[in-house]
Amino acid sequence: MRALLFENALKNDYTGDSRMGFSVEIHNGYYRNYALSCIEKIALWIDGEKIAEDDIQFVYQGKIYRLTQLQDQYMEYWEVMEPAFLKVMKKGGLPKGKHLVKVELRIRVAYVPMPFTPETKTKEHSYWVPVYVDEKEYTC
Amino acid sequence: MQDRIKLGLSLYSLTNEYYHGQLSIEDCIKTVKYELGLEGAEILGAQMLRGYPWPSDAAIDNIRNLFDKHGLELYCYAAQSDCGKRADRLDLSDRELLDYAIQDCVVANKLGTHVIRQQMNITPEVFEQLAPYAEYYDVKVGIEVHPPLMPSGKEIGRFIDVIERTGSKYIGFVPDSAIFSEAQQSLQLGGTLSNRSVRQEVQDFLAEAAAQGRSFDIVKKEIEKFDLQKQEAAAVQGYFDFFSFGINQKPDIDGLRRIMPYTFDVHGKLNALNEEFDDVVINNRAFIEVIKQSDYKGYIMIEYDGHQGNNEPAVPLIKKHLEFCRKVLNE
């Protein structure tokens, strides 16, 4: 498995001089690219506290999506070597110091229909849905 | 070695080295050409061709130029039909599957390659409709024949019917040597299940069952005792459906012989080596023998699946396996 979180993934975000939130850089976790519509779930915890879905925006190649919009993006592919960012609005950002970041990413592997055996293959399938979890500590 | 059969490498074999940043795409190409001494390679669009399935001309030119620069033949473009990409419904329609398959032909043509490895997700009906487009773009589209589907199975039989009925020389197959697996791919268990929140005791149970070569039906029944959580059940089902290649299965020699006249490319699958430098569970020797006995002219494209399982560095392992392949080809 490839990590979701790499070095320096956590940063406070500023609007002018004001700290207005923070961002977490994440990678797609898989060996190939996939459509953003294949993201079934993204969850983020900071220091053990789960961030509300509504407070997270997914930023990819400069485009910003609310998590509820991702399911519609079947023409937009997330490249293997290209990061995305989870942008969280939080006035004051994160206090200086160490923070534990945990990310869970659940994806639908769209080219692996299941079941996929001669006996059971039907027109409609469900799909393989691996879950990736990564956790790292950062200083910001 | 018989000149008509060459050895090549699917760049997918270098997945770990690539996505951990140790090798760039150019480094992968140089590795194949200079370190492994091979003449041809396959590229997996979804992995190394930026923008797949609609890469820009600049992205295509970049790949083409890198292959040209190092004199490596880009023999095959591997496409993946993402039939489950839409969240609002389960499968793409035949019309959509055809649209994407045609797009893959366009890209292969621009890349200057004449072979596509396409997946079984396209239906025989789409396969038939694709034939004139494949001819137009001068690309031979081979359906990957990979377990759990077998060359002598009913599903592949429907594709053979289309090929024989249409007489098209542009639709055919890319058999993968995993169809010659003789035991469960237990080495893949770790990579398949460990990162997907499957309890260790369940993994141990499956590994033991695989090692003992126990009946698949019995294993499926017995695993119910673990009362699997939803995501565990999904991961285990994925293992059963996609990675399990039958236990104590006999190589489908007759089936492979049947499809060889329609074969455009061949995948030599590799997970881990035995003492002879063949795969531990795939009988590549028997697989290569069938290819030698056929009239096939093209590559055996080695595909090392290490990132899914043992994670051993690719290059030393592939070098040893190439020794084995050359020996078998020359026997």
Side-chain angles (χ1 to χ4, degrees), chain A residues 12-55:
Chain A
N12 272 311
D13 289 337
Y14 291 82
T15 303
D17 293 333
S18 305
R19 213 189 282 168
M20 296 296 284
F22 61 91
S23 294
V24 176
E25 177 185 321
I26 65 167
H27 286 250
N28 87 5
Y30 202 45
Y31 79 89
R32 55 155 290 192
N33 72 2
Y34 52 82
L36 297 184
S37 57
C38 292
I39 297 171
E40 299 233 325
K41 182 187 174 187
I42 292 181
L44 174 66
W45 292 260
I46 303 290
D47 300 323
E49 188 182 331
K50 190 170 184 189
I51 307 295
E53 248 187 47
D54 281 350
D55 292 340

Side-chain angles (χ1 to χ4, degrees), chain A residues 1 4 28-31 34 38-42 104-112 114 127-133, chain B residues 191-198 230-239 242-243 308:
Chain A
M1 177 203 164
L4 304 177
N28 87 5
Y30 202 45
Y31 79 89
Y34 52 82
C38 292
I39 297 171
E40 299 233 325
K41 182 187 174 187
I42 292 181
E104 180 182 320
L105 176 65
R106 185 177 299 203
I107 61 168
R108 187 173 65 261
V109 176
Y111 77 99
V112 185
M114 300 187 324
Y127 287 85
W128 181 37
V129 183
V131 180
Y132 303 109
V133 180
Chain B
T192 307
L193 300 176
S194 63
N195 293 323
R196 285 149 204 166
S197 310
V198 175
K230 194 179 171 189
Q231 64 191 44
E232 285 182 316
V236 168
Q237 188 62 46
Y239 172 71
F242 191 65
F243 293 101
Q308 303 249 36

Side-chain angles (χ1 to χ4, degrees), chain B residues 38 50 100 123 183 212 223 256 281-282 312 322:
Chain B
L38 302 174
R50 196 179 172 80
Y100 285 108
T123 60
Q212 292 173 351
I223 204 163
L256 181 58
V281 293
I282 298 169
E312 273 186 50
L322 286 169

Side-chain angles (χ1 to χ4, degrees), chain A residues 38-99:
Chain A
C38 292
I39 297 171
E40 299 233 325
K41 182 187 174 187
I42 292 181
L44 174 66
W45 292 260
I46 303 290
D47 300 323
E49 188 182 331
K50 190 170 184 189
I51 307 295
E53 248 187 47
D54 281 350
D55 292 340
I56 303 173
Q57 292 175 307
F58 183 93
V59 184
Y60 182 66
Q61 293 185 333
K63 296 179 192 167
I64 294 183
Y65 306 95
R66 299 187 70 206
L67 295 189
T68 49
Q69 283 180 283
L70 293 177
Q71 61 183 333
D72 301 325
Q73 311 307 318
Y74 64 90
M75 305 285 276
E76 187 81 70
Y77 275 64
W78 188 359
E79 302 287 335
V80 177
M81 304 301 274
E82 184 86 16
F85 299 87
L86 302 178
K87 202 173 175 64
V88 178
M89 286 191 293
K90 180 180 166 53
K91 264 192 180 173
L94 293 172
K96 281 192 172 174
K98 289 183 175 174
H99 297 284

Side-chain angles (χ1 to χ4, degrees), chain B residues 98-170:
Chain B
L98 179 61
D99 291 344
Y100 285 108
I102 294 169
Q103 168 63 17
D104 292 330
C105 292
V106 172
V107 175
N109 174 272
K110 288 183 178 178
L111 280 167
T113 182
H114 299 281
V115 176
I116 288 179
R117 174 168 63 94
Q118 185 58 268
Q119 286 178 315
M120 268 294 297
N121 301 340
I122 70 169
T123 60
E125 292 75 19
V126 171
F127 196 48
E128 181 166 355
Q129 293 171 57
L130 184 62
Y133 294 95
E135 184 170 2
Y136 179 83
Y137 288 106
D138 193 16
V139 178
K140 295 184 173 181
V141 182
I143 296 289
E144 182 180 35
V145 183
H146 190 291
L149 300 174
M150 289 291 158
S152 58
K154 280 183 198 165
E155 286 288 329
I156 297 299
R158 292 177 64 205
F159 285 90
I160 294 174
D161 289 346
V162 172
I163 295 165
E164 295 185 341
R165 182 161 44 75
T166 61
S168 172
K169 303 292 180 201
Y170 289 85

